[in-house]
Amino acid sequence: MTLARDVRGMLAVAAVGVLFMLVAPSVLELFTIINLTTAIALAVLALSLALIWGYGGILCFGQNAFFGIGAYAYTIAAINFGGSSWAILVAILVAVAFAVIIGYVMFYGRVSDVYLAVITLTVSLILYSLIRRTSGPDYKIGKSLLGGFNGITSPPINLPWDSSFVLFPEHVFYVAMGGLILAYLFTSWLTRTHFGRVCVSIRENELRAELLGYDVRFYKLAIFAVGAGIAGLAGVLFCNGVGRVTPDVFNLYTSALTIIWVIVGGRGTLIGPILGAFGLFYLTSALGTQSTVNNNLVLGIILVVFVLGVPKGVIPTVADWIAARRSRRALRVRERRMRMRRTRGGSGAGVGAGRGSPDGTGAAARASE
Amino acid sequence: MRQGEVVLETRGLSMHFGGVRAVDRVDFALYENELRCLIGPNGAGKSTFFKCLTGQLRPTAGSVVIRDIHVTEREPFEVAALGVGIKTQVPNVFEGLAVEENIWLSARRWHVPARARSLTAETLERLRLGDIRTSPVGRLAHGQRQWVELGMVVAAEPWLVLLDEPAAGMTHEETVRTAELIREINRTATLIVVEHDMQFIRMISHLVTVFHEGRILMEDTMEAISADSRAREVYLGHRA
């Protein structure tokens, strides 16, 4: 019963996504659509961290490292291959391979949570410094110059069967939205499998999972690698939305922002961080048009407010609130019914009044059954 | 009682923390189908010994052998993979997950989905957890959490069961029920139970090993130990 409701929720979210994908381009202006593509790419990045932090319990502070690697790998591969299809696959695989290497060291070395956060953040910052220093004609991979802090212009995605047919920005929107929906369905499915439940159990109690006979190191590494692959996909979508990739994908601001999306949206849900990414993307865009308050200050305040006031994040808090209201109402109905029965038993009067109560109790009682 | 093969053995097992010899050259043997209790005062080394058996601690010296396999350097999940069910002293459960999912995660480790489901249902019934099966374990009372953990041990159908203080913090009624359950487990499995509660040990045990200052002081029946002056001195004098 609960599982069925779960699956219905997941499909409903996917359906809303599909509807949005189909309707948005005919309603919104091109500029808004291009902007949305970027927001969608960031939402996919948020989703990847929602999976490994919210479900896997792995606080990766440098999730954007895989995002940036995906963006760079896609751009470099697409320039060299002269087409995008294989480049997308290469980008995802490179991100996964990178995650497997650093993940192996961290998980099989049994690095504790705090150090894991520090290591991943450091990796991201090292990549930032490295890539920034690659200006000039000496730094190139195949035909692609790395471009230092100016970055590289990313070739847009083309049709898989015709590399000369390059997608227009409005088409890239479909690709991005489709990517987000598929990534959401995939992660939703994954968190329901035996593998996904084991990852959740490791988040809950690592020792117990180990004593049940699960190789905790392997499960953590596996979900970490899957998350990196999704972040890699996000990188591909991002550089397609923006049109280029720069070292800023690796900077501290992006690292922190990814964490904030997940905290605001809510750990332990997938839709929460997605909405968190969209919400904060538009908030920062709006703040960017004015100069009264500093953008980073506002983000900082949001982070503090959420950590102190809404530690679970928006979606879980709202869900709890709805559940509490529902159970309170059920309790009230039950109490009222008991009272009615007592009066009925006591005097025999007021039976009719109790049944068809004018305040709608009867209806509420029926509804709750 | 002492017949059949030795299923668990330690040879010269030592665990030192700095200068403290928590476990000091312990030779211990457990026979098939036995139900052995480990007792001893606080700091006698029972729990450290227990952690060495389950791979949670790497002993300083000596070896642990389970059914002819050296497990001294193994990870806890590898020990569990030999068919060993382990319950820790502080209940280790999946707090945020429902009771039935806790049990299912244990059953599903070794069984196909259909069998895991039926095993979960069986275990819930056996431990009388049916009424609370959808509650998150974090919201349960202490005794019930202990049973959820026992349920996880049972659901894996282990042949060797290691329990560290299974009755700690339980009411008398719960303790009696736990003792029943342990005797029931003993029908199909060999057990080691680390315990403090003397009455509880009298309910379940045949053979008791007394730890003192990291060593085995004596091994005998509960009656003999109660009558022994050395054992009374280190442990029982003020309790029983």
Side-chain angles (χ1 to χ4, degrees), chain A residues 189-209:
Chain A
W189 167 79
L190 189 68
T191 55
R192 285 176 175 80
T193 58
H194 179 216
F195 171 82
R197 300 321 294 170
V198 172
C199 290
V200 170
S201 79
I202 292 168
R203 176 194 75 191
E204 291 292 317
N205 192 324
E206 199 169 323
L207 177 61
R208 175 40 65 195

Side-chain angles (χ1 to χ4, degrees), chain B residues 198-214:
Chain B
M198 287 299 133
Q199 285 189 322
F200 181 70
I201 291 167
R202 287 203 181 89
M203 280 185 238
I204 60 171
S205 187
H206 306 277
L207 200 61
V208 177
T209 301
V210 185
F211 267 73
H212 180 53
E213 291 176 348

Side-chain angles (χ1 to χ4, degrees), chain B:
Chain B
M1 203 53 221
R2 297 210 140 191
Q3 7 169 303
E5 58 171 325
V6 173
V7 290
L8 183 148
E9 191 177 13
T10 73
R11 295 186 203 118
L13 192 72
S14 299
M15 183 74 217
H16 301 171
F17 299 105
V20 181
R21 298 182 169 200
V23 174
D24 194 17
R25 284 165 288 161
V26 170
D27 298 317
F28 175 87
L30 182 75
Y31 293 80
E32 196 165 13
N33 299 324
E34 225 187 309
L35 198 175
R36 180 80 68 91
C37 280
L38 304 186
I39 64 168
N42 282 325
K46 312 179 296 283
S47 285
T48 307
F49 178 73
F50 187 86
K51 282 183 180 164
C52 289
L53 297 185
T54 54
Q56 294 175 69
L57 284 175
R58 291 263 152 96
T60 317
S63 60
V64 180
V65 181
I66 296 178
R67 281 233 161 118
D68 299 328
I69 297 164
H70 277 265
V71 298
T72 324
E73 297 288 311
R74 301 293 180 93
E75 301 286 340
F77 79 89
E78 292 173 300
V79 176
L82 296 174
V84 182
I86 301 153
K87 188 203 162 304
T88 51
Q89 189 175 356
V90 181
N92 271 298
V93 284
F94 305 125
E95 305 278 353
L97 305 183
V99 171
E100 59 184 343
E101 191 167 15
N102 272 264
I103 310 280
W104 177 82
L105 278 160
S106 173
R108 182 71 182 86
R109 174 67 185 89
W110 311 111
H111 296 98
V112 295
R115 176 83 185 107
R117 266 197 302 277
S118 63
L119 204 53
T120 304
E122 264 168 48
T123 308
L124 287 171
E125 195 176 329
R126 193 167 162 193
L127 280 116
R128 298 178 193 167
L129 295 168
D131 295 342
I132 51 166
R133 66 194 172 86
T134 55
S135 317
V137 179
R139 296 225 192 104
L140 301 182
H142 181 76
Q144 287 175 318
R145 283 149 52 93
Q146 295 267 50
W147 275 343
V148 171
E149 202 180 12
L150 275 174
M152 283 197 265
V153 171
V154 172
E157 298 187 310
W159 64 267
L160 175 62
V161 176
L162 309 176
L163 305 174
D164 199 349
E165 304 204 12
M170 283 188 174
T171 62
H172 180 70
E173 198 184 322
E174 286 170 334
T175 308
V176 172
R177 169 88 187 109
T178 305
E180 255 169 51
L181 187 70
I182 287 174
R183 279 198 302 265
E184 199 183 306
I185 295 171
N186 190 218
R187 263 180 245 145
T188 53
T190 310
L191 281 104
I192 296 181
V193 181
V194 174
E195 233 338 304
H196 257 305
D197 187 338
M198 287 299 133
Q199 285 189 322
F200 181 70
I201 291 167
R202 287 203 181 89
M203 280 185 238
I204 60 171
S205 187
H206 306 277
L207 200 61
V208 177
T209 301
V210 185
F211 267 73
H212 180 53
E213 291 176 348
R215 295 187 182 200
I216 292 175
L217 184 72
M218 62 185 297
E219 249 172 32
D220 216 321
T221 60
M222 197 61 215
E223 293 76 47
I225 286 168
S226 304
D228 186 89
S229 61
R230 285 177 308 159
R232 289 166 75 104
E233 200 175 303
V234 302
Y235 189 54
L236 301 171
H238 56 283
R239 287 278 307 258

Side-chain angles (χ1 to χ4, degrees), chain A residues 9-355:
Chain A
M10 171 182 104
L11 294 178
V13 168
V16 169
V18 171
L19 197 68
F20 181 72
M21 177 171 86
L22 297 177
V23 173
S26 48
V27 183
L28 301 169
E29 286 173 41
L30 182 59
F31 173 74
T32 319
I33 289 293
I34 293 172
N35 229 343
L36 253 175
T37 305
T38 309
I40 292 164
L42 298 177
V44 175
L45 174 59
L47 178 67
S48 76
L49 188 63
L51 178 70
I52 70 158
W53 189 21
Y55 287 82
I58 302 163
L59 173 51
C60 174
F61 212 121
Q63 190 66 8
N64 57 317
F66 309 116
F67 172 72
I69 284 171
Y72 268 97
Y74 165 79
T75 303
I76 293 165
I79 288 171
N80 280 295
F81 298 166
S84 67
S85 306
W86 288 107
I88 296 174
L89 193 66
V90 165
I92 294 171
L93 290 180
V94 169
V96 169
F98 188 71
V100 168
I101 293 167
I102 65 165
Y104 181 82
V105 176
M106 292 190 300
F107 299 122
Y108 281 74
R110 303 236 186 217
V111 168
S112 70
D113 297 347
V114 180
Y115 292 103
L116 194 139
V118 174
I119 290 171
T120 51
L121 177 63
T122 312
V123 164
S124 170
L125 294 177
I126 289 171
L127 287 171
Y128 177 61
S129 311
L130 271 182
I131 298 288
R132 269 174 68 92
R133 286 185 177 76
T134 57
S135 325
D138 299 337
Y139 297 99
K140 57 178 183 177
I141 296 175
K143 287 185 274 181
S144 166
L145 291 171
L146 292 179
F149 59 79
N150 287 323
I152 323 170
T153 305
S154 304
I157 291 176
N158 54 256
L159 288 178
W161 55 88
D162 181 5
S163 61
S164 61
F165 190 99
V166 169
L167 296 190
F168 290 110
E170 59 265 42
H171 299 141
V172 174
F173 167 78
Y174 289 117
V175 175
M177 200 61 206
L180 175 61
I181 294 167
L182 288 180
Y184 171 75
L185 287 175
F186 171 72
T187 46
S188 297
W189 167 79
L190 189 68
T191 55
R192 285 176 175 80
T193 58
H194 179 216
F195 171 82
R197 300 321 294 170
V198 172
C199 290
V200 170
S201 79
I202 292 168
R203 176 194 75 191
E204 291 292 317
N205 192 324
E206 199 169 323
L207 177 61
R208 175 40 65 195
E210 177 112 24
L211 293 177
L212 291 186
Y214 293 108
D215 186 353
V216 167
R217 306 168 302 181
F218 168 78
Y219 281 91
K220 281 182 152 184
L221 179 58
I223 199 162
F224 188 66
V226 170
I230 295 169
L233 172 69
V236 173
L237 300 175
F238 181 77
C239 65
N240 264 284
V242 179
R244 67 186 304 113
V245 52
T246 67
D248 287 338
V249 289
F250 295 115
N251 69 15
L252 181 60
Y253 180 75
T254 317
S255 300
L257 208 51
T258 315
I259 298 277
I260 296 173
W261 295 329
V262 177
I263 289 176
V264 169
R267 270 162 292 162
T269 69
L270 295 171
I271 192 67
I274 291 175
L275 296 177
F278 276 114
L280 289 181
F281 177 80
Y282 281 100
L283 181 71
T284 46
S285 304
L287 289 171
T289 58
Q290 51 85 49
S291 53
T292 336
V293 262
N294 180 291
N295 210 336
N296 289 338
L297 186 71
V298 175
L299 277 179
I301 291 170
I302 288 175
L303 178 63
V304 170
V305 165
F306 269 85
V307 167
L308 295 177
V310 198
K312 282 175 150 180
V314 173
I315 298 292
T317 306
V318 170
D320 283 357
W321 184 68
I322 291 172
R325 259 180 72 104
R326 202 177 280 163
S327 70
R328 259 207 309 277
R329 197 169 54 194
L331 193 72
R332 257 205 315 273
V333 169
R334 216 175 303 141
E335 272 173 6
R336 228 173 266 180
R337 222 183 281 156
M338 294 254 280
R339 228 177 298 142
M340 264 181 257
R341 214 167 289 154
R342 233 174 288 141
T343 17
R344 217 181 302 165
S347 62
V351 176
R355 276 272 148 153

